[in-house]
Amino acid sequence: MSTEGPISSPTAPAPRRPKVIKTNQQQVFLYVVLTLLLSFATVWGGRALLHNSETLTFAVGAPNSDEALFAAKLAVVLKNNASRFRIKIVNNADDAKALAQFDRRQADLAVLRTDAKVPLRARALAILEHDLVLLLGPGNKKIKSIADLKKRKVAVLAENESSLAFVRSILDISHGPDAARIQMAPQGVTLDKLFAPSNGFGAVIAIVHASGAVRDKAYEHLARRGGFTLNAIDEVKALARKFPGISSETLTAGTLSASPQIPDDDLDTIGLEWLLVAQSRMSVSTAGELARTIYENKSALGLDNGFATRIEPASVEKDAFVMAHQGAADYINDDTKSFMDKYSDLLYVGAAALSVIGSIFAAIYTKITRIAPEKASELSTAILDIGERIEHAHSLDQLECLQDELEAILRGAVIGLRDGTISSDGLDTFKLGYEFVRDEIGMRRDYLKRHASEAEKTVRDEAPAQPDDSNVVVVKTAQSA
């Protein structure tokens, strides 16, 4: 009768370790990407808010005109100061067409002289230059009044035809035969040639930039030869009432010539102003920033011929010929609001909004990136799985593997409870399952040991009896020969 040893089962499945950490790598990666994008958008938005580039169209006359050259200098200054403004210069045939373009709202900026037709929506940012009206007589001849000019042949010495119309208007002879006596002097002609007897001019009205008149040495050279007399214009107030664009100007002694001194004493005359104007719809902040840039960079904006070398603030009086833009007026009156004054409410709202958004993102980040605590009851599934494999353990070695796996789950649970990766939710269920499987393993171990003992006894009982040689006496028989 043959004996069979204990039946061995196939290799038991590899023990499964408990899952104590839950993470979603795709969600973490997506969140990181979204966080970077949000950071980039925030930085870009803040930069755009503070340095958003804005292009301003500047309508000017001919490319070589004073206002065109000033516009080019302003564009360079804004660029060098890293301003958010950019200047787009649009040339026209003359100043009148440039103002017409401005009046049609096709330009944001323009330069006008106060004898021009002022667009209704024009608001002054700065006074760029003063034009002086110089009433000159030949030799030592004095001109007593404006009325006296109506009897004379008058040459208008100026840069453009608009000055001729201005002189005719103040003389009140804008049309008719008398208007022919008021003639435009040829470009480039000198005073001494105009006063030559062959020309027959009884007076010259020169309309010049104040900054240029101070630098022009031609007046001094002609004065040394006794070539002209500078006359006062006493009807300043009357003319200013009739023509609101006219300003009262005073020539200090020695303005035109230091030796001989011309005028020899302070002298009253009339003048015109060159204004940098902006559209009334321009925002207060834009106008204020432009005004600040212009006033703080006056030395860089002056032209070589003297134009705009003495920029002045625009008049903020309510009765000014061209009302100042509110942004420029605020800067001139030092009423400009600081960054906190202008944006404090917005900052408070933004801070509150960012706080809410930050809390939401922090909650999302915590939700998808933190170690998710596993309920202790969920480990019961792994324990019960071990319990189901106990009956397939046909040897003590296989049973010991299951015992080690059960103890590993227990150790993981204890460590997880300590570290917070496992919650105590369902701990009683876990304990009950652990004790149940542990007892099952103990019972299975006793069964295997008992079964092994019975098998060994059966083998001994069924084995054949071996002869007992302990009482056998060996007799050696001697055979006689």
Side-chain angles (χ1 to χ4, degrees):
M1 183 177 181
S2 62
T3 60
E4 296 181 1
I7 302 173
S8 59
S9 64
T11 304
R16 296 189 303 173
R17 298 192 63 82
K19 182 181 178 182
V20 296
I21 296 176
K22 291 182 178 180
T23 57
N24 190 323
Q25 295 182 352
Q26 291 182 346
Q27 287 182 332
V28 172
F29 175 76
L30 179 61
Y31 180 80
V32 171
V33 172
L34 290 176
T35 301
L36 293 176
L37 291 176
L38 179 62
S39 301
F40 174 79
T42 302
V43 173
W44 181 85
R47 182 181 178 86
L49 177 64
L50 296 177
H51 293 284
N52 183 28
S53 179
E54 182 178 351
T55 300
L56 301 175
T57 302
F58 201 141
V60 297
N64 60 345
S65 62
D66 288 340
E67 61 270 24
L69 297 176
F70 172 80
K73 285 228 173 187
L74 179 59
V76 173
V77 167
L78 291 173
K79 183 178 180 180
N80 292 340
N81 283 271
S83 173
R84 66 187 180 93
F85 301 114
R86 297 291 180 267
I87 297 296
K88 177 184 177 182
I89 301 174
V90 179
N91 293 105
N92 292 270
D94 51 40
D95 298 346
K97 289 183 172 56
L99 286 178
Q101 182 185 18
F102 179 88
D103 197 23
R104 293 193 301 268
R105 298 188 180 185
Q106 295 176 349
D108 303 293
L109 300 170
V111 175
L112 63 83
R113 199 171 70 172
T114 49
D115 62 325
K117 181 181 179 181
V118 179
L120 293 176
R121 290 173 290 274
R123 297 293 183 269
L125 295 179
I127 301 173
L128 302 183
E129 185 61 82
H130 291 262
D131 271 5
L132 300 176
V133 178
L134 304 179
L135 179 55
L136 308 173
N140 296 323
K141 295 181 179 180
K142 286 187 172 291
I143 301 173
K144 298 179 180 180
S145 64
I146 293 293
D148 190 22
L149 287 174
K150 297 180 180 182
K151 304 174 183 178
R152 301 170 183 256
K153 183 180 179 181
V154 179
V156 178
L157 186 61
E159 293 182 354
N160 49 59
E161 295 288 337
S162 62
S163 295
L164 176 62
F166 170 69
V167 172
R168 286 175 175 175
S169 64
I170 62 175
L171 295 179
D172 199 19
I173 49 174
S174 57
H175 59 275
D178 293 338
R181 295 202 303 270
I182 314 300
Q183 301 177 9
M184 191 73 186
Q187 291 295 322
V189 69
T190 58
L191 280 174
D192 54 345
K193 291 183 178 180
L194 290 176
F195 286 136
S198 59
N199 287 324
F201 289 111
V204 173
I205 295 180
I207 301 179
V208 296
H209 299 326
S211 55
V214 175
R215 302 182 182 191
D216 193 350
K217 296 299 181 180
Y219 296 103
E220 184 173 346
H221 295 159
L222 184 59
R224 288 177 180 177
R225 300 195 301 267
F228 72 94
T229 299
L230 179 63
N231 300 275
I233 299 179
D234 297 327
E235 299 91 337
V236 175
K237 293 183 178 179
L239 290 173
R241 285 194 297 269
K242 187 175 181 180
F243 304 98
I246 292 177
S247 60
S248 175
E249 303 288 344
T250 299
L251 293 177
T252 58
T255 297
L256 298 184
S257 173
S259 178
Q261 185 171 282
I262 298 177
D264 54 3
D265 197 1
D266 290 352
L267 179 143
D268 293 330
T269 186
I270 60 174
L272 299 168
E273 294 178 343
W274 288 85
L275 304 178
L276 174 63
V277 295
Q279 294 283 356
S280 58
R281 64 180 178 178
M282 179 179 288
S283 68
V284 173
S285 60
T286 297
E289 188 172 344
L290 272 177
R292 179 188 61 79
T293 302
I294 292 169
Y295 299 150
E296 292 179 358
N297 296 273
K298 291 187 290 186
S299 60
L301 292 171
L303 303 186
D304 295 337
N305 63 1
F307 183 82
T309 52
R310 299 189 65 179
I311 297 175
E312 301 174 15
S315 175
V316 296
E317 300 297 330
K318 293 182 179 180
D319 59 349
F321 180 63
V322 178
M323 184 179 298
H325 194 288
Q326 186 61 49
D330 289 344
Y331 181 81
I332 295 168
N333 294 329
D334 199 21
D335 290 336
T336 53
K337 296 181 179 179
S338 66
F339 180 84
M340 288 300 298
D341 292 335
K342 291 189 291 185
Y343 299 109
S344 58
D345 294 341
L346 181 61
L347 288 176
Y348 288 136
V349 174
L354 287 176
S355 176
V356 174
I357 294 173
S359 300
I360 294 173
F361 272 91
I364 295 174
Y365 179 82
T366 304
K367 182 66 177 178
I368 67 175
T369 59
R370 69 181 176 89
I371 297 176
E374 188 174 12
K375 296 180 181 179
S377 60
E378 295 179 0
L379 298 178
S380 301
T381 303
I383 292 176
L384 294 177
D385 181 67
I386 295 174
E388 292 176 356
R389 287 185 282 148
I390 291 176
E391 61 179 340
H392 299 291
H394 298 290
S395 68
L396 293 176
D397 290 339
Q398 294 177 353
L399 200 61
E400 288 301 325
C401 289
L402 295 177
Q403 179 70 37
D404 291 342
E405 190 174 346
L406 180 65
E407 295 302 325
I409 294 176
L410 178 61
R411 285 195 301 273
V414 173
I415 295 173
L417 289 170
R418 181 193 64 187
D419 297 340
T421 56
I422 295 178
S423 68
S424 59
D425 188 11
L427 184 59
D428 292 338
T429 303
F430 171 78
K431 291 168 60 179
L432 181 62
Y434 171 79
E435 293 173 355
F436 173 75
V437 173
R438 182 192 61 188
D439 293 343
E440 284 288 323
I441 291 176
M443 293 173 61
R444 184 65 176 174
R445 183 181 292 109
D446 293 341
Y447 169 77
L448 291 177
K449 288 181 179 179
R450 186 171 60 254
H451 182 70
S453 299
E454 291 176 354
E456 291 176 1
K457 183 178 179 181
T458 301
V459 171
R460 285 197 304 269
D461 291 344
E462 293 180 355
Q466 298 292 332
D468 187 2
D469 295 334
S470 60
N471 295 323
V472 177
V473 177
V474 177
V475 179
K476 185 175 183 184
T477 304
Q479 184 177 2
S480 62

